Amino acid sequence: MKGFNAKWKDFPDYIIGITKEIWEDRGVGTLTHYYADDIPVRSPMGVQCGNQAVIASTMATINEFPDRELLGEDVIWSGNEDDGFLSSHRLLTKATHTRDGQFGPATGKHWVVRVIADCAAKNDTIYDEWLIRDYGGIVRQLGMDPRAYAAGLIETEGGPSNAKAVFTPAIDVQGDYKGIGNDNQWGQRYADILTRIMDADFTTINRDFDRAVIGEYAGAQTSIGREGCMAFWVGLRSSFPNATFKIHHQIGMDADMLSPRAAIRWSLDGLHEGWGSFGEPTGAAVHVMGMCHAEFGPWGLRREFALYDEIAIWKQILMGAA
């Protein structure tokens, strides 16, 4: 690949390789090369700017979870050597809560969650990033309730008027990546499905999902069959029934010895005004950052991976309702 170290055989190899090098091989210092000096990294809990902030947070995570592994499940990507690439990298990450840290006193408990990271890269450097960790899944497996954990964060940070703001478009940072993905048919097919779901046409799940679909959802929840998919999407949409749904980036692929697949980054903006996955309506303003991967087979959508950050959503609800 033009501009990249010759040791990488292709773009997915680069993404999976540097992830292992940074985290599991403890090459944290390589972030000064692999991440641009002024990179914006957006997650539902806020925005970090610059590779030094990424280095600091990476070291803190490694300290709290020293046996953490990041297993690359897929890299769904678009772009080219001249304009640069965008990878939507899905990881299965696991660790043991060995030391005290942001999740409190060490519990010795083990957790397994998924992460999706959208990274823009050119000339061997990541220069723009969007990231969702299944924060709620970690909290649940450490024996805590996401709502209670979010309430504790707010209290620790000085109460609703002083607590750290989560990510919203109002605090976004303009990065250098301006792409919106590609026009592959599988990305468009999944975008159409998500758009119908957000338009409350939940019949699309019965019509377009394989009967044996496997869903991997926020909160480290796994479902088998359409019923669990229905519960996940109805639970989210009914919490924010009038929120505006927007697709920010979509990629489709049919390559790499895998099923046809798609990656979508999306958002919901609106009020918590319905009963759903987030309890009694409060009227709080909420921004949901979402990322999804999907795989298709002969009988429809056969695997779906859908992440949002429960903690960031609860934090907005609790702060907005205070």
Side-chain angles (χ1 to χ4, degrees):
M1 297 186 296
K2 186 169 65 177
F4 289 79
N5 191 302
K7 69 181 179 180
W8 311 118
K9 65 180 183 181
D10 55 26
F11 188 52
D13 185 49
Y14 166 77
I15 292 295
I16 292 171
I18 68 169
T19 301
K20 182 177 183 297
E21 188 174 333
I22 293 164
W23 285 92
E24 295 179 37
D25 298 343
R26 298 297 186 260
V28 180
T30 63
L31 282 162
T32 58
H33 167 72
Y34 289 129
Y35 272 48
D37 291 343
D38 57 351
I39 182 175
V41 179
R42 307 157 195 82
S43 76
M45 294 299 284
V47 182
Q48 290 182 322
C49 291
N51 57 20
Q52 293 305 307
V54 177
I55 289 171
S57 62
T58 300
M59 289 191 295
T61 302
I62 289 173
N63 178 72
E64 190 169 6
F65 306 107
D67 65 345
R68 188 180 181 198
E69 293 181 84
L70 294 92
L71 308 175
E73 288 191 310
D74 198 3
V75 178
I76 302 174
W77 60 277
S78 61
N80 57 63
E81 292 181 330
D82 294 322
D83 301 321
F85 300 94
L86 190 288
S87 77
S88 192
H89 183 198
R90 188 179 75 250
L91 304 110
L92 189 66
T93 178
K94 59 181 182 175
T96 307
H97 191 206
T98 304
R99 300 191 183 111
D100 299 353
Q102 72 173 108
F103 292 94
T107 62
K109 293 183 176 180
H110 188 70
W111 52 261
V112 181
V113 301
R114 281 184 169 82
V115 177
I116 298 178
D118 280 13
C119 296
K122 192 174 183 180
N123 296 325
D124 219 33
T125 302
I126 306 291
Y127 64 89
D128 228 341
E129 183 170 0
W130 296 258
L131 169 74
I132 299 181
R133 298 182 187 90
D134 187 3
Y135 206 169
I138 296 174
V139 165
R140 290 171 184 272
Q141 291 173 74
L142 294 181
M144 296 176 277
D145 173 73
R147 185 185 189 280
Y149 182 82
L153 278 182
I154 294 169
E155 182 178 355
T156 299
E157 293 168 358
S161 60
N162 297 306
K164 297 175 184 176
V166 302
F167 179 84
T168 64
I171 67 167
D172 196 6
V173 175
Q174 182 63 56
D176 290 335
Y177 182 74
K178 305 297 192 300
I180 57 172
N182 62 26
D183 59 0
N184 179 278
Q185 62 173 318
W186 299 106
Q188 188 56 54
R189 182 169 173 178
Y190 191 39
D192 291 344
I193 288 171
L194 291 182
T195 299
R196 289 197 297 272
I197 287 173
M198 291 301 177
D199 285 341
D201 179 11
F202 301 110
T203 61
T204 189
I205 293 173
N206 290 328
R207 184 173 60 250
D208 295 317
F209 284 43
D210 192 318
R211 287 189 66 233
V213 60
I214 300 173
E216 303 287 355
Y217 295 128
Q221 305 297 311
T222 299
S223 72
I224 309 295
R226 296 168 179 160
E227 184 178 354
C229 304
M230 187 77 73
F232 174 80
W233 287 114
V234 171
L236 173 65
R237 194 50 165 147
S238 62
S239 294
F240 314 105
N242 298 303
T244 300
F245 172 67
K246 183 176 181 180
I247 290 175
H248 301 275
H249 200 274
Q250 74 179 54
I251 304 172
M253 284 194 76
D254 187 1
D256 301 335
M257 298 179 66
L258 291 167
S259 300
R261 57 210 198 275
I264 303 281
R265 175 162 39 88
W266 53 270
S267 65
L268 276 176
D269 276 288
L271 303 179
H272 179 222
E273 52 188 351
W275 281 94
S277 297
F278 293 91
E280 182 177 357
T282 62
V286 173
H287 175 81
V288 180
M289 179 193 292
M291 291 186 183
C292 294
H293 282 188
E295 297 176 4
F296 293 89
W299 302 292
L301 195 159
R302 60 185 295 273
R303 294 191 77 192
E304 182 174 53
F305 308 83
L307 295 184
Y308 54 68
D309 186 336
E310 292 177 276
I311 308 304
I313 294 172
W314 275 119
K315 199 173 182 187
Q316 292 173 85
I317 290 172
L318 295 172
M319 291 170 68

